Amino acid sequence: MAEQAYTVASDSETTGEDKPTTPYPELAIGIDIGTSQCCVAVWNGSEVELLKNTRNQKMMRSYVTFKDEIPTGGVSAHLSHEHEMFSGSAIFNMKRLIGRTDTDPVIHASKTLPFLVQTLNIGVRPFIAALVNDVWRSTTPEEVLAVFLVELRAMAEVQLKRVIRNVVLTIPVSFSRFQLTRIERACAMAGLHVLRLMPEPTAAALLYAQQQQQVVHDNMGSGSEKIALIFNMGAGYCDVCVTATAGGVSQIKALSGGSIGGEDILQNVMHHLLPNLDCLFSSHGPNEIKLMGLLRIATQDAIHELSSQDSVRVEVDLKNGSKINRVLGRAEFEEINREVFRKCENLVMQCINDAKVNVEDISDAILVGGCSNIPKVRSLVLGSCKKEEPYLGMDPLEAAVCGAALEGAVASGISDPLGSLDLLTIQAIPLSLGICADGNSFVPIINRNTTMPARKELSFTTARENQTEALIAVYEGEGTKVEENHLLGYFKVIGIPPAPKGSPEISVCMDIDASNVLRVFAGVLMPGVRQPVQPFLEVKMPTVDDGHGWCAEALLKMYGSTLDLCTLQKKMLQ
């Protein structure tokens, strides 16, 4: 079935009177769609410019309302009151929901959101719906994101007076390749072509590289390599990277990330203030949703105020016999979220260790994202880097989109006579890639933080006597067992000549190009024979679609261990 396309005609398309004001008709825009807020930026010929909506806002809320027949997003819609967003008719947090199955803990934690999230716990797409005229209207995160992207595209087309096709989008480090395909699908539905999907801290690293290049240029010096740690924490995700920068080149030495963010902090505080929250709002009736919205707004306000003061009074009348009227202190807030902060600190230390750098060699600690204003977050990042103050050269909320806009200009082939676009990002692979072998083990072929492009090969052999077929099940992640990782796809190698187990050599090669496209090659070699037994198979990953949570169980049920592989103890080929 063909994908539904969402289109909005811009002023420049409908009147035919305006001419493009930019000399770069194919220039890609940069978009940072955060879990709670988004923004759009473009290279204007001399610098990065953030675009504004009709209400003169650079930062726009990431949501779509379904009050009328035509859904509207936070770009064009105007909320008369904050409660309107939490009335059941608006869907938000799409970046947290997209590409996840109904067994995912993030999906289960989203059941307290003020719209409908239902699960069957069988590894399929969750059921998501908005309340429209007292009827739950189902949708998907991809459709919601597509509607939102259409509005962003229309806004950009009106301001730039040209058709927008190409885009660079920022993404969380921890996104699986399946989630990336969902993002690309939403962009396609909105009529956008993705030039790059750029990890958020990598985008900030590119902006940092340009700034350091400018400093060197202004000082008329050659400049030396600077190492920076970039910590990005928004409403949905926490990402860290270590970058080495010199001469406009940003080499990503390590990446780490997880699905922890301001939404987790918010949920923790809400449950602390109202311990029976899940029971009170379990049925998701219209009145319950509105009450949930009241609690959410009050909790959000309290968290924001605790960034600048030691305590805050929280007052909420839930009109169902429950009232909250109490003081919440910063120390109490930090204790409630101790586990979140611990995970953040672990990501920072993991990234520093993976980068193989000494803390003393870190020149700058860069904090970006909305949650970087939380005092505890700032102190743990600065403490880990042994810094007194963070880097102050970029806006925490605009850093990622500015980096995306720079990458958009570079990827579009735009040059700048002053050298402001003489930039290069050497990206790294955020998650290890491998296959299922040696029983139920995950055997990495390309390890995380390997520089892209990359090509690695590993040899395997049969696990059973006279085995004539082998299953290549490709996974992504860091778990030692395959069920702890993301299944990307699978295929069979057939035509293996009957032989004692351990005799055939099954070569599996993984190739990632500069655009982060993964291809897996597999074929059979026999001792003493140069040519492969059958032509090698080449498969672009991922191949799984919706319902991929079922795939691993179905494969195990169908084949058991009959098509297993064992690792050959040979050196990996570069």
Side-chain angles (χ1 to χ4, degrees), residues 61-76:
R61 300 286 292 273
S62 300
Y63 70 90
V64 170
T65 57
F66 290 82
K67 283 196 284 186
D68 304 310
E69 287 302 313
I70 301 175
T72 56
V75 181
S76 60

Side-chain angles (χ1 to χ4, degrees), residues 316-425:
V316 189
D317 183 1
L318 297 176
K319 300 180 175 62
N320 60 353
S322 298
K323 286 187 179 181
I324 298 172
N325 187 352
R326 55 161 298 179
V327 173
L328 180 66
R330 183 184 291 178
E332 184 182 5
F333 164 76
E334 292 176 356
E335 179 61 26
I336 295 166
N337 291 287
R338 179 175 54 180
E339 185 63 16
V340 172
F341 298 136
R342 184 190 67 80
K343 289 178 180 178
C344 292
E345 189 169 22
N346 287 347
L347 288 174
V348 172
M349 298 312 300
Q350 175 191 317
C351 198
I352 293 173
N353 292 333
D354 287 351
K356 297 180 173 58
V357 298
N358 295 319
V359 173
E360 293 76 14
D361 295 330
I362 297 175
S363 302
D364 292 304
I366 305 171
L367 282 76
V368 296
C371 289
S372 62
N373 288 323
I374 297 176
K376 182 65 175 181
V377 170
R378 293 169 67 88
S379 66
L380 72 85
V381 175
L382 294 176
S384 299
C385 298
K386 296 183 179 179
K387 297 293 178 187
E388 294 292 329
E389 294 291 335
Y391 178 76
L392 301 175
M394 59 182 73
D395 188 310
L397 299 181
E398 299 176 3
V401 76
C402 288
L406 288 173
E407 181 66 19
V410 173
S412 300
I414 307 301
S415 60
D416 178 65
L418 299 178
S420 298
L421 295 178
D422 295 340
L423 304 171
L424 173 66
T425 301

Side-chain angles (χ1 to χ4, degrees), residues 261-315:
E263 180 64 31
D264 299 284
I265 292 172
L266 177 65
Q267 292 287 341
N268 288 344
V269 177
M270 287 172 62
H271 281 87
H272 180 74
L273 294 173
L274 193 64
N276 59 341
L277 170 68
D278 294 336
C279 295
L280 285 176
F281 301 133
S282 58
S283 67
H284 264 68
N287 291 332
E288 290 179 342
I289 289 174
K290 291 177 182 178
L291 296 178
M292 191 189 302
L294 289 175
L295 177 60
R296 191 178 179 91
I297 292 169
T299 307
Q300 284 178 342
D301 292 343
I303 293 172
H304 291 156
E305 290 178 31
L306 283 175
S307 293
S308 57
Q309 55 195 60
D310 292 331
S311 64
V312 61
R313 178 167 290 279
V314 183
E315 294 184 73

